[in-house]
């Protein structure tokens, strides 16, 4: 056991210079929301359910899964949790499209969507401290999933239409976030409002010591023995 006080415990920390994964994950969300909304609002015929499933499997699942991994590498657990839940949820939706008859409801999918909605709200509550703009997007997705889940459990078709409309709003909000955070990454300052607060704002506007002042207390940092 090491009896040294915390301030005297030596630590070696290696920092990876990676870009923010948020635009990648939110790009996948914008694409998925638009495609699924097109299906819900009958812009895409239900006879093309298989093709919708293939798109959701190929694009949002992969993009959000990759973004979730890099969010954890960037020490952003709240965003990583939200993107991970979204990735797995779109995978489940895609598989249901691929394995079910066109337009058929699924109680299992409905329960999954309601559970995903609740978990996304919890992740959003954690993220709101530093990043209220992505938090708003996550809350909108949670509402969209909740409406879709209620429809899948047997509610009138209007719930699917509400879910589709919310999906269009999500797609637009996620698209704005992609543009805002990509411009921020290029110019190293906020070009469009991103509403960063607290440590998220300090990471962009502060000095190097401010950005890493608590890194020795992060999970994964080990004492030198």
């Amino acid at each position: 056991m090491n009896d040294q006080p915390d301030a005297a415990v030596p630590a070696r920390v290696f920092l990876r210079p990676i870009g923010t994964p948020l635009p990648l994950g939110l790009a996948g969300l914008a694409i998925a929301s638009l495609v699924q909304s097109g299906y819900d609002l009958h812009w895409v015929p239900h006879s093309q359910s298989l093709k919708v499933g293939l798109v959701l499997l190929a694009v949002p699942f992969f993009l959000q899964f990759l973004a979730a991994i890099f969010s954890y590498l960037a020490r952003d657990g709240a965003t990583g949790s939200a993107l991970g839940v979204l990735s797995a949820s779109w995978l489940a939706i895609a598989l249901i499209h691929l394995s079910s008859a066109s337009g058929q409801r699924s109680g299992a999918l409905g329960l999954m969507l309601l559970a995903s909605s609740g978990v996304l709200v919890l992740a959003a509550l954690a993220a709101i401290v530093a990043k209220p703009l992505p938090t708003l997007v996550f809350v909108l997705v949670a509402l969209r999933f909740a409406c879709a889940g209620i429809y899948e459990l047997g509610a009138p078709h209007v719930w699917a239409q509400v879910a589709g409309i919310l999906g269009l709003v999500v797609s637009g909000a996620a698209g704005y976030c992609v543009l805002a955070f990509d411009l921020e990454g290029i110019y190293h300052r906020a070009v469009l409002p991103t509403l960063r607060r607290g440590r998220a704002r300090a990471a962009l506007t502060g000095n190097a010591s401010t950005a890493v002042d608590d890194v020795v207390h992060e999970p994964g940092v080990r004492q030198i023995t």
Side-chain angles (χ1 to χ4, degrees):
M1 177 179 292
N2 193 329
D3 295 328
Q4 291 178 299
D6 288 346
V9 175
R12 180 176 296 146
V13 180
F14 298 92
L15 299 178
R16 294 183 180 90
I18 62 175
T20 175
L22 258 176
L24 181 65
L26 293 176
L29 176 59
I31 295 168
S33 294
L34 181 60
V35 172
Q36 184 61 40
S37 288
Y39 183 82
D40 292 336
L41 298 172
H42 297 285
W43 300 348
V44 177
H46 279 189
S47 60
Q48 297 186 18
S49 175
L50 179 62
K51 296 179 180 179
V52 171
L54 289 173
V55 170
L56 296 180
L57 183 63
V59 182
F61 164 68
F62 177 75
L63 293 182
Q64 291 175 337
F65 179 71
L66 189 62
I69 292 175
F70 277 93
S71 292
Y72 281 110
L73 292 176
R75 299 180 295 120
D76 189 352
T79 300
S81 297
L83 291 174
V85 170
L86 283 172
S87 174
S89 298
W90 289 118
L91 174 60
I93 295 170
L95 293 177
I96 293 294
H97 279 306
L98 294 173
S99 61
S100 301
S102 299
Q104 182 179 1
R105 303 194 196 197
S106 169
L109 177 61
L111 290 176
M112 187 280 297
L113 287 170
L114 291 178
S116 295
S117 174
V119 174
L120 282 171
V121 169
L122 295 177
L125 290 176
I128 196 173
V129 175
K131 298 177 181 178
L133 186 58
T135 295
L136 173 63
V137 177
F138 295 147
V139 170
L140 289 172
V141 182
L143 291 174
R144 189 244 186 278
F145 278 0
C147 292
I150 292 171
Y151 168 73
E152 291 291 338
L153 290 172
H157 185 71
V158 66
W159 286 94
Q161 294 177 322
V162 172
I165 293 171
L166 283 172
L168 297 178
V169 177
V170 168
S171 186
Y176 172 84
C177 288
V178 171
L179 178 60
F181 285 110
D182 274 343
L183 288 175
E184 184 182 82
I186 292 172
Y187 293 102
H188 303 290
R189 60 180 177 83
V191 178
L192 296 175
T194 58
L195 308 180
R196 285 179 180 265
R197 298 191 304 183
R199 294 184 60 81
R201 182 176 179 84
L204 184 68
T205 60
N207 54 37
S209 61
T210 301
V212 299
D213 55 359
D214 284 334
V215 72
V216 295
H217 301 296
E218 294 287 342
V221 177
R222 299 291 180 263
Q223 297 181 18
I224 300 175
T225 59

